[in-house]
Amino acid sequence: MTTTPTKKPAMFETEKKSALDAISQAQFIAFAPYIFHASVILRDSGILNKVQDSRTNGMTLEEIGANVNMSRYGIRILLEAGLGIGLLLRKEGKYLLSKTGHFFLNDPMTRVNTDFMRDVCYEGSKELKSSIEQSKPNGLKYLGDWETIYQGLSILPEPAKTSWFNFDHYYSDNAFPEALPMVFAGSPRKVMDIGANTGKFTLACLEYNNNVEVGLVDLQVQLNVAKQNIEQAGYGNRVQYHERNVLHTDSELPTGYDVIWMSQFLDCFADDEIVFILEKCHRALSADGRVFINETFWDRQRFEASAFSLQMTSLYFTTMANGNSQMYDSKVFLGLIDKAGFEVVADTDNIGLSHTILELRKK
Amino acid sequence: MTTTPTKKPAMFETEKKSALDAISQAQFIAFAPYIFHASVILRDSGILNKVQDSRTNGMTLEEIGANVNMSRYGIRILLEAGLGIGLLLRKEGKYLLSKTGHFFLNDPMTRVNTDFMRDVCYEGSKELKSSIEQSKPNGLKYLGDWETIYQGLSILPEPAKTSWFNFDHYYSDNAFPEALPMVFAGSPRKVMDIGANTGKFTLACLEYNNNVEVGLVDLQVQLNVAKQNIEQAGYGNRVQYHERNVLHTDSELPTGYDVIWMSQFLDCFADDEIVFILEKCHRALSADGRVFINETFWDRQRFEASAFSLQMTSLYFTTMANGNSQMYDSKVFLGLIDKAGFEVVADTDNIGLSHTILELRKK
């Protein structure tokens, strides 16, 4: 965890590839859909597992064939594809799991990303161009008939539903332990949780501090779920529920709150909408009120692989979620904050897995 | 051009990646479909071209937006995706074309591969699993209602047709100048061209040697096309046409030929079928007859990128072409030759772009 100002060399600034690596990478892009399908089958058919079990001995095609229910031809084309993709190595006729194969098979983040791509995004991904052109998530129709994915989340077909929630869960939650001391540093009496969803952060606040009151702001359908969770936990007497669609021009946010919390909420909106929502926050807060924003910015990641995952998640927002939002570059996002009349008091990277917490006050 | 025995270190044998590179590569695989779509749009919308034109100065998002007909949001998510994919670099807010971007935009092989994937293979690629399970090209239905792609080639819908022929053309042809002296080294009077297709090699033979006669073996629909080309060139008096389906058990190949030529023909067949066809060749040839096979073997390529392209082309054979053939590993292929009763007299790699010519005689 580091605190502002953070100065790192910018990502994606310098050429790191040789010409030979670059032409290889260009072929990877050209054949990327086959890479995806072959890799997923290698994983899900148990072939990679079998090869992993053979450790440094490796396994011949024949040995793999004796353990996997697939034609010898099928196993052969997949194993050979796995060599070029980089999942496998081959030494004297024996296949071995590569480092990439190890991560593709075992790394939780990679599995979550792969399943999310396969079950939620794959069919709709081909609508990237039309989604951009029409500013709407044109790929969503392959999952259901909704305007945005948020209307469909609770009724997504399987396996999309499981893979969506696994993805969401993997990238959420782990920011709270570090976030709570920041939010409570100024001893707020009342905290507003915008985009409260199922009430996870609200509950964390109520447990963290015995006196704080929390106001949940969300659509009614979400508030119903949150209310159930909060009543069950016995905290019903310290919460208020405020049904709002934050994009509506005919309603304002409730007033009287010391702090506003928004966690992975604003990335669901377009630039202008973010400014619109922050301006509502501005009007709802007193002069010394604070806004805490928990977001994942791709340019604030420690590794380019993490930045890349977020850039790809932006394409999910475009094609499947809402057609107009993304995982932001912090520089773009900070510009919107400024435009809405706020200034950044603290800017803390590396919260949890990949989060940044911004603390704002009115300019 | 090198002649047997060739001894190179085996491809794909040693781990070259750091753990960090490997986990990045695993994310590339996980999000590969988005990589493909974003890259194709970056190329086809003119964004990569614009960035290339800016050379080492680079171009801001705003400057690109002024030149490309796309929403600012669309350009932004694509440019940012292009960073993680490796097509672009960004320095002080200005986007620059990377080496990978240069190849993806300009390299003819990469363009041909990308268009082939997009127009011929993309929709059907998701049928890789079912194609393996059912041993038939289950992805072909997205192009037309044929048993194999060979029945549909002349009537493929556009743009699939153009992209298929560009791909085929790119990987063919350039082996002939080096092949002809080999084929004619033994002064054959009669050459059999199996899988003669449009008659390109036949014509090359007739032009190369003023006395040779050539017998074309193919399906009638192909022979009609070849005949037209050969008559047009004025060589009608030195050719014979033999209509054959080489897989039929009730017909043999014509006899009386000194040499049999098969160019990128046997890769369209499964292991057992290759043995079956070679056994027919064996019966049709006299004791001192020769078979010349022109093939692209992935393990004989100079670069892993070329091997990778061929391994991916195998997946095209599985999903789109016939469901049971591939670009072979030469070791597998040589085993089939042995099984059919032939031995290899000469084995020459690096013919043209990526070819190997095998000369066989009866054992």
Side-chain angles (χ1 to χ4, degrees):
Chain A
M1 201 171 111
T2 54
T3 299
T4 310
T6 50
K7 263 285 171 218
K8 305 178 205 166
M11 281 179 154
F12 309 116
E13 190 174 295
T14 50
E15 179 67 71
K16 292 175 197 150
K17 284 195 161 44
S18 68
L20 203 60
D21 289 344
I23 200 161
S24 290
Q25 179 72 353
Q27 300 335 295
F28 266 72
I29 298 169
F31 288 113
Y34 275 138
I35 289 179
F36 182 73
H37 295 297
S39 301
V40 167
I41 302 172
L42 277 166
R43 188 191 71 168
D44 295 348
S45 66
I47 292 177
L48 292 186
N49 257 316
K50 284 288 158 204
V51 175
Q52 176 174 255
D53 291 346
S54 76
R55 296 170 180 273
T56 53
N57 294 324
M59 235 180 171
T60 64
L61 169 59
E62 287 68 27
E63 288 165 346
I64 296 164
N67 285 282
V68 174
N69 183 24
M70 192 186 289
S71 71
R72 189 194 157 98
Y73 164 75
I75 297 172
R76 191 172 70 200
I77 55 157
L78 291 173
L79 287 173
E80 293 176 0
L83 293 173
I85 293 168
L87 295 168
L88 296 166
L89 302 167
R90 191 172 76 172
K91 205 165 185 173
E92 291 159 13
K94 292 187 169 190
Y95 288 89
L96 300 147
L97 200 66
S98 72
K99 286 182 192 166
T100 302
H102 169 79
F103 285 115
F104 190 70
L105 181 61
N106 302 304
D107 174 53
M109 175 176 78
T110 311
R111 291 195 74 100
V112 156
N113 287 344
T114 304
D115 293 350
F116 182 69
M117 184 77 231
R118 181 191 62 190
D119 300 329
V120 178
C121 307
Y122 179 76
E123 278 291 343
S125 71
K126 66 183 171 193
E127 302 290 349
L128 179 57
K129 185 157 175 272
S130 72
S131 297
I132 291 171
E133 284 167 355
Q134 297 166 35
S135 300
K136 58 179 194 173
N138 254 336
L140 184 56
K141 58 175 174 272
Y142 299 100
L143 294 179
D145 185 24
W146 310 292
E147 210 178 309
T148 71
I149 204 167
Y150 309 110
Q151 283 105 41
L153 280 186
S154 58
I155 47 171
L156 280 177
E158 287 292 0
K161 189 175 180 179
T162 297
S163 293
W164 193 95
F165 280 95
N166 285 345
F167 183 82
D168 187 61
H169 182 75
Y170 185 81
Y171 288 100
S172 309
D173 283 9
N174 49 29
F176 292 177
E178 294 168 81
L180 288 164
M182 297 184 193
V183 171
F184 283 91
S187 303
R189 292 170 305 104
K190 295 187 74 178
V191 172
M192 191 193 314
D193 182 4
I194 303 184
N197 209 339
T198 59
K200 274 189 188 166
F201 185 76
T202 293
L203 277 169
C205 286
L206 295 166
E207 280 162 22
Y208 185 81
N209 183 295
N210 289 329
N211 301 309
V212 73
E213 290 180 34
V214 184
L216 295 83
V217 175
D218 214 322
L219 303 174
Q220 192 59 52
V221 57
Q222 295 302 335
L223 291 181
N224 293 342
V225 178
K227 189 169 187 176
Q228 206 176 346
N229 293 333
I230 290 163
E231 298 285 342
Q232 213 158 39
Y235 288 120
N237 57 330
R238 287 198 278 142
V239 297
Q240 293 89 42
Y241 300 95
H242 305 283
E243 194 255 316
R244 294 285 192 288
N245 179 329
V246 291
L247 292 181
H248 281 183
T249 49
D250 55 1
S251 68
E252 289 288 336
L253 291 169
T255 53
Y257 288 86
D258 307 306
V259 155
I260 292 175
W261 166 260
M262 289 181 280
S263 178
Q264 295 192 273
F265 177 69
L266 291 174
D267 56 48
C268 301
F269 298 95
D271 297 27
D272 291 349
E273 294 171 340
I274 291 172
V275 173
F276 180 82
I277 294 165
L278 285 173
E279 286 173 342
K280 274 194 178 177
C281 294
H282 200 280
R283 290 192 294 273
L285 282 177
S286 63
D288 51 358
R290 294 291 158 101
V291 177
F292 289 88
I293 294 172
N294 178 37
E295 275 298 339
T296 43
F297 299 115
W298 64 257
D299 62 314
R300 297 290 185 91
Q301 302 305 304
R302 272 165 289 190
F303 303 109
E304 291 194 350
S306 319
F308 169 76
S309 292
L310 294 175
Q311 290 158 344
M312 293 298 107
T313 305
S314 291
L315 305 182
Y316 147 77
F317 280 111
T318 311
T319 53
M320 307 303 296
N322 52 40
N324 65 10
S325 83
Q326 68 171 120
M327 294 313 225
Y328 283 87
D329 179 345
S330 69
K331 285 184 283 302
V332 171
F333 200 88
L334 292 172
L336 306 176
I337 286 170
D338 179 66
K339 206 169 168 185
F342 284 104
E343 64 184 356
V344 176
V345 182
D347 178 341
T348 313
D349 286 336
N350 302 330
I351 300 284
L353 194 71
S354 55
H355 295 257
T356 297
I357 293 185
L358 300 173
E359 181 179 351
L360 317 183
R361 70 175 166 213
K362 292 181 168 191
K363 280 198 286 197
Chain B
M1 200 170 110
T2 53
T3 300
T4 309
T6 50
K7 263 284 171 219
K8 305 178 205 165
M11 281 178 154
F12 309 116
E13 190 173 294
T14 49
E15 178 67 71
K16 292 175 196 149
K17 284 195 162 44
S18 68
L20 203 60
D21 289 344
I23 201 160
S24 290
Q25 179 72 354
Q27 300 335 295
F28 266 72
I29 298 169
F31 288 113
Y34 275 138
I35 289 180
F36 182 74
H37 295 297
S39 300
V40 167
I41 302 171
L42 277 166
R43 188 192 70 167
D44 295 348
S45 66
I47 292 177
L48 292 186
N49 256 317
K50 284 289 159 204
V51 175
Q52 176 174 255
D53 291 346
S54 76
R55 296 171 180 273
T56 53
N57 295 323
M59 234 180 172
T60 64
L61 169 59
E62 287 68 28
E63 288 165 347
I64 296 163
N67 285 283
V68 174
N69 183 24
M70 191 186 289
S71 71
R72 189 195 157 96
Y73 164 75
I75 297 171
R76 191 172 69 201
I77 55 157
L78 290 173
L79 287 173
E80 294 177 0
L83 293 173
I85 294 168
L87 295 168
L88 296 166
L89 302 167
R90 190 171 77 172
K91 205 164 185 173
E92 292 159 12
K94 291 187 169 189
Y95 288 89
L96 300 147
L97 200 66
S98 72
K99 286 182 191 165
T100 302
H102 168 79
F103 285 115
F104 190 71
L105 181 61
N106 302 305
D107 174 54
M109 176 177 77
T110 311
R111 291 195 74 100
V112 156
N113 287 343
T114 304
D115 292 350
F116 182 68
M117 184 78 231
R118 180 191 62 191
D119 300 329
V120 178
C121 306
Y122 180 76
E123 278 291 344
S125 71
K126 66 182 171 193
E127 302 289 350
L128 179 56
K129 185 157 174 272
S130 72
S131 298
I132 291 171
E133 284 166 355
Q134 297 166 34
S135 300
K136 58 179 195 173
N138 254 336
L140 184 55
K141 58 175 173 271
Y142 299 100
L143 293 179
D145 185 23
W146 310 292
E147 211 178 311
T148 71
I149 204 167
Y150 309 110
Q151 283 105 42
L153 280 186
S154 58
I155 48 170
L156 280 177
E158 287 292 0
K161 189 175 181 179
T162 297
S163 293
W164 192 95
F165 281 96
N166 285 345
F167 184 82
D168 187 61
H169 182 76
Y170 185 81
Y171 288 100
S172 310
D173 283 9
N174 49 29
F176 292 176
E178 293 168 82
L180 288 165
M182 296 185 193
V183 171
F184 283 91
S187 303
R189 292 170 306 102
K190 295 186 74 178
V191 172
M192 191 192 315
D193 182 4
I194 303 184
N197 208 340
T198 59
K200 274 189 188 167
F201 185 75
T202 292
L203 278 169
C205 286
L206 295 166
E207 280 162 22
Y208 185 81
N209 183 295
N210 289 329
N211 301 310
V212 73
E213 290 180 34
V214 184
L216 295 83
V217 175
D218 214 321
L219 303 174
Q220 192 59 51
V221 57
Q222 294 303 335
L223 291 180
N224 293 342
V225 178
K227 190 170 187 174
Q228 205 175 346
N229 293 333
I230 291 163
E231 299 285 343
Q232 213 158 38
Y235 288 120
N237 57 331
R238 286 198 278 142
V239 298
Q240 293 89 41
Y241 300 95
H242 306 283
E243 194 255 315
R244 294 285 192 287
N245 180 329
V246 291
L247 292 182
H248 281 183
T249 49
D250 56 0
S251 68
E252 289 288 336
L253 291 170
T255 53
Y257 287 87
D258 307 306
V259 154
I260 292 176
W261 167 260
M262 289 181 280
S263 178
Q264 294 192 274
F265 177 69
L266 291 174
D267 56 48
C268 302
F269 298 95
D271 297 27
D272 291 349
E273 294 171 340
I274 291 172
V275 173
F276 181 82
I277 294 165
L278 285 173
E279 286 173 343
K280 274 194 179 177
C281 294
H282 200 280
R283 290 192 294 273
L285 283 177
S286 63
D288 52 357
R290 295 291 157 102
V291 178
F292 289 88
I293 294 172
N294 178 36
E295 274 298 340
T296 43
F297 299 116
W298 65 256
D299 62 314
R300 297 290 185 90
Q301 301 305 304
R302 272 165 289 190
F303 303 109
E304 291 194 350
S306 319
F308 169 77
S309 292
L310 294 175
Q311 290 158 344
M312 294 298 107
T313 305
S314 291
L315 305 183
Y316 148 77
F317 280 111
T318 311
T319 53
M320 307 304 295
N322 53 40
N324 64 10
S325 83
Q326 68 171 120
M327 294 313 226
Y328 282 88
D329 178 345
S330 70
K331 284 183 284 303
V332 171
F333 201 88
L334 292 172
L336 306 175
I337 286 170
D338 180 66
K339 206 169 168 184
F342 283 105
E343 64 184 356
V344 176
V345 182
D347 179 340
T348 313
D349 286 336
N350 302 330
I351 300 283
L353 193 71
S354 55
H355 294 257
T356 296
I357 293 185
L358 300 173
E359 181 179 352
L360 317 183
R361 70 174 166 215
K362 292 180 169 193
K363 279 199 287 197

